[in-house]
Amino acid sequence: AMQYVGSPYVYGAAGPNAFDCSGFVQYVYAQMGISLPRTSGAQAAAGTMVSAAEAQPGDVIWWPGHVAIYAGDGMMVSAEDESTGVRYLPVRSGGTFLRM
């Protein structure tokens, strides 16, 4: 996931040159041979909830309408928006950690 930091955010894009949030998660997982659904809601339904304390790098973090990849140590990689693109940043509160 880290290799895509700095990539542009484009709504509906699923890589490899631009991403939206769920397209980013789907694309990164596909590089590891794991097939995920396309939308954030469907991705959330595909995972198994784990606590923040149990979260491991690579787990998905879901908020209503958004997903990101947990990077460990309270950080995430997320396709944020058109102005910032894919970023490495602290995990925002209120997310649900999911193991795929």
Side-chain angles (χ1 to χ4, degrees), residues 22-49:
S22 57
F24 175 69
V25 170
Q26 182 188 48
Y27 184 82
V28 169
Y29 266 79
Q31 301 315 298
M32 300 291 122
I34 300 167
S35 178
L36 290 184
R38 177 60 181 93
T39 65
S40 60
Q43 289 172 0
T48 301
M49 193 169 74

Side-chain angles (χ1 to χ4, degrees), residues 1-96:
M2 291 295 291
Q3 69 184 333
Y4 301 107
V5 170
S7 296
Y9 177 102
V10 175
Y11 182 79
N17 300 313
F19 304 93
D20 67 11
C21 68
S22 57
F24 175 69
V25 170
Q26 182 188 48
Y27 184 82
V28 169
Y29 266 79
Q31 301 315 298
M32 300 291 122
I34 300 167
S35 178
L36 290 184
R38 177 60 181 93
T39 65
S40 60
Q43 289 172 0
T48 301
M49 193 169 74
V50 296
S51 71
E54 295 173 302
Q56 298 175 358
D59 286 343
V60 171
I61 313 167
W62 175 83
W63 299 262
H66 189 73
V67 285
I69 297 175
Y70 185 57
D73 296 321
M75 301 295 286
M76 66 181 183
V77 183
S78 175
E80 287 288 290
D81 55 44
E82 289 88 352
S83 64
T84 60
V86 178
R87 296 181 54 208
Y88 175 69
L89 68 163
V91 173
R92 281 190 297 282
S93 64
T96 300

